[in-house]
Amino acid sequence: MYAQMITAEASDEDPKLLEEFQARIDRDEKIEPKDWMPMAYRKTLIRQIGQHAHSEVVGQLPEGNWITRAPTLERKAILLAKVQDEAGHGLYLYSAAETLGVSRDELVELLHEGKMKYSSIFNYPTLNWADIGAVGWLVDGAAIVNQVALQRTSYGPYSRAMIRICKEESFHARQGYHAIMQMAFGTPAQKAMAQDAVNRLWFPAIMMFGPSDSESVHSEQSMQWKIKVRSNDDLRQQFVDQTVPQIEYLGLDLPDPGIKWNEERGHYDYSDPDWSEFFNVIKGKGPCNVDRLNDRTNAWEDGAWVRDGLLAHGRKKAAARTAAE
Amino acid sequence: MSKEWPLWEVFIRGQHGLSHRHVGSLHAPDAEMAIKNARDVYTRRNEGVSIWVVEAQHIAASSPEEKGPLYEPSNSKVYRHPTFFDIPEEVGHM
């Protein structure tokens, strides 16, 4: 089904239907699964929601790595709950994508074949416990900024998934900040670890919003269809503005010497990240791309016999029930 | 035969006596696992006290094209709303 959709030509579409569709979007009506929609709208959503789902699932890997090494039982339970949430978030998003006519297994396959992406941030390593705090605070913090905006996206199932995710996500950011706070106000060695984590994760975190608006290939049409509702740079600025005071509260140095309050703009100025690094990581050359995809594929393949067994059992029981009726 | 687990729609009744409400969907090999998975996915923060699951293929839905003919008849029947009737103030609350 997915392959068919990709080959369909947009030019076959009735201009009148297209016009009515845009008018519905402009009136802020939600588009629902059975409604008519342009092929490119469907395709873009499958790509975007699919990538979003993959990011939730792959995002479990750098954190799952630290569950057995959390410093206290309480931190371990909290991290476990957070990682479980991420699995749930992946599921909400796969479900939203499935309403567009693609199956979850197809999406998972495309991820494993390297034909679909996930957020570049998860190709960076989590080297120590401070990174786990910084990931919750900065990475989930950045995700929240993006996801709060996406609650207003035009596709109903995607919007509803975002609303649900946002409700759960602020726990993630707060537990992360709380963990970093304990380190920043702890021994000098702990504080140095917190500083190091912020320094390493700052630029990858602000890259999460994607390339600058002038460079972003998917932006214009997506904005017109309200698949995206705010621009990459706009969202990035909001994240910087809200995060700088949080760093200052911790008594840590700002990770970018270019960060300065700009009275005239009413925003913080900041340095551009190294976009060549971003595109390298996207292309598969980040520090952990190979590991992440291997771990995903192995988990999928190692679990195959369990999935198959449960399905066979389910079918056998259903058949027995039908026979008894 | 596809090896993908069937899709189930999940309905949850919250704490305050309201009806079950659609909350999302999930894949599961059978109804029992669907309920267990729904518990793990959709009630992690005390969202519900009762779960219904139904295989998505068993749900029949109205189609968007029928929207006009389906709902139009109620448009012309404004007298079905209580505000259609002006009741004099002297009568009191009704």
Side-chain angles (χ1 to χ4, degrees):
Chain A
M1 182 136 194
Y2 186 69
Q4 279 170 10
M5 277 189 292
I6 291 178
T7 51
E9 287 291 328
S11 56
D12 297 341
E13 284 167 346
D14 182 353
K16 213 179 131 239
L17 282 174
L18 279 167
E19 202 179 299
E20 281 169 16
F21 179 80
Q22 187 62 52
R24 289 190 64 192
I25 303 257
D26 295 342
R27 286 195 301 270
D28 278 332
E29 276 180 36
K30 293 280 183 245
I31 307 300
E32 295 297 337
K34 294 174 94 186
D35 296 348
W36 185 87
M37 61 187 86
M39 206 52 83
Y41 178 83
R42 188 184 295 274
K43 247 176 67 180
T44 307
L45 275 172
I46 289 174
R47 184 179 50 78
Q48 184 172 324
I49 303 174
Q51 283 183 8
H52 200 156
H54 297 329
S55 303
E56 301 284 354
V57 172
V58 176
Q60 295 178 100
L61 297 170
E63 294 186 306
N65 195 27
W66 280 89
I67 290 172
T68 54
R69 288 177 279 170
T72 66
L73 184 59
E74 188 185 50
R75 289 286 171 202
K76 179 175 178 167
I78 292 168
L79 185 58
L80 203 52
K82 178 185 188 299
V83 172
Q84 191 193 11
D85 273 356
E86 306 298 359
H89 294 178
L91 187 142
Y92 308 156
L93 286 157
Y94 283 126
S95 299
E98 284 183 291
T99 64
L100 292 157
V102 62
S103 81
R104 185 174 69 183
D105 280 8
E106 278 176 279
L107 291 171
V108 168
E109 215 168 285
L110 288 166
L111 169 71
H112 292 175
E113 287 168 359
K115 290 177 185 157
M116 276 184 93
K117 310 258 185 244
Y118 53 87
S119 178
S120 59
I121 189 75
F122 302 119
N123 291 313
Y124 290 87
T126 43
L127 301 176
N128 56 48
W129 180 253
D131 286 16
I132 295 302
V135 163
W137 165 36
L138 299 173
V139 174
D140 288 66
I144 290 170
V145 169
N146 187 35
Q147 290 172 158
V148 164
L150 282 173
Q151 291 182 111
R152 291 183 289 121
T153 191
S154 60
Y155 188 57
Y158 192 25
S159 157
R160 291 190 283 273
M162 285 299 105
I163 290 168
R164 201 177 169 90
I165 286 176
C166 284
K167 271 191 203 159
E168 299 178 348
E169 197 91 57
S170 68
F171 147 58
H172 298 181
R174 290 175 70 127
Q175 65 82 32
Y177 192 69
H178 194 259
I180 281 283
M181 220 161 63
Q182 285 202 323
M183 297 185 79
F185 298 144
T187 65
Q190 287 173 325
K191 187 173 178 185
M193 276 175 77
Q195 181 71 59
D196 169 62
V198 172
N199 290 350
R200 273 183 295 108
L201 285 162
W202 173 257
F203 282 110
I206 67 168
M207 285 182 204
M208 284 172 66
F209 297 98
S212 186
D213 297 335
S214 51
E215 307 279 323
S216 178
V217 278
H218 303 297
S219 281
E220 207 175 311
Q221 179 66 76
S222 287
M223 294 284 276
Q224 201 192 340
W225 278 334
K226 295 185 188 164
I227 291 175
K228 278 175 79 159
V229 282
R230 287 176 61 195
S231 78
N232 295 353
D233 286 334
D234 189 15
L235 293 165
R236 186 167 18 246
Q237 182 70 62
Q238 186 191 328
F239 174 72
V240 171
D241 287 350
Q242 74 185 37
T243 308
V244 169
Q246 296 167 358
I247 301 173
E248 285 170 340
Y249 177 81
L250 296 173
L252 298 179
D253 296 332
L254 294 173
D256 161 18
I259 295 176
K260 276 192 188 74
W261 179 251
N262 184 326
E263 193 65 52
E264 202 176 310
R265 291 201 307 126
H267 292 290
Y268 284 98
D269 289 337
Y270 57 93
S271 310
D272 247 354
D274 175 2
W275 288 112
S276 63
E277 175 181 320
F278 174 80
F279 289 111
N280 254 330
V281 175
I282 292 274
K283 277 188 214 130
K285 294 179 203 150
C288 300
N289 295 57
V290 176
D291 285 349
R292 298 292 185 242
L293 212 51
N294 279 345
D295 288 347
R296 261 315 301 151
T297 317
N298 289 342
W300 181 250
E301 284 169 3
D302 291 349
W305 67 275
V306 180
R307 292 194 302 277
D308 293 352
L310 286 171
L311 184 63
H313 177 69
R315 281 180 179 157
K316 212 162 96 181
K317 268 197 325 193
R321 211 171 29 243
T322 317
E325 271 167 12
Chain B
M1 204 183 245
S2 164
K3 284 169 79 179
E4 188 163 45
W5 287 351
L7 188 68
W8 299 75
E9 298 300 332
V10 180
F11 301 82
I12 303 245
R13 179 152 54 78
Q15 313 257 3
H16 307 291
L18 296 174
S19 309
H20 284 76
R21 186 168 158 263
H22 183 242
V23 292
S25 46
L26 50 78
H27 287 272
D30 56 32
E32 193 187 334
M33 284 296 292
I35 288 175
K36 284 189 174 138
N37 290 350
R39 192 271 319 262
D40 288 345
V41 177
Y42 291 108
T43 66
R44 288 199 302 283
R45 290 175 177 82
N46 298 321
E47 289 93 335
V49 292
S50 167
I51 300 174
W52 288 350
V53 293
V54 59
E55 248 191 275
Q57 59 166 341
H58 296 312
I59 292 186
S62 63
S63 84
E65 293 87 59
E66 294 166 6
K67 210 152 77 182
L70 262 184
Y71 307 113
E72 198 286 325
S74 74
N75 280 342
S76 56
K77 298 172 182 62
V78 283
Y79 46 82
R80 284 180 170 162
H81 297 279
T83 46
F84 179 77
F85 304 94
D86 281 331
I87 303 292
E89 240 172 69
E90 300 92 287
V91 178
H93 178 74
M94 185 180 285

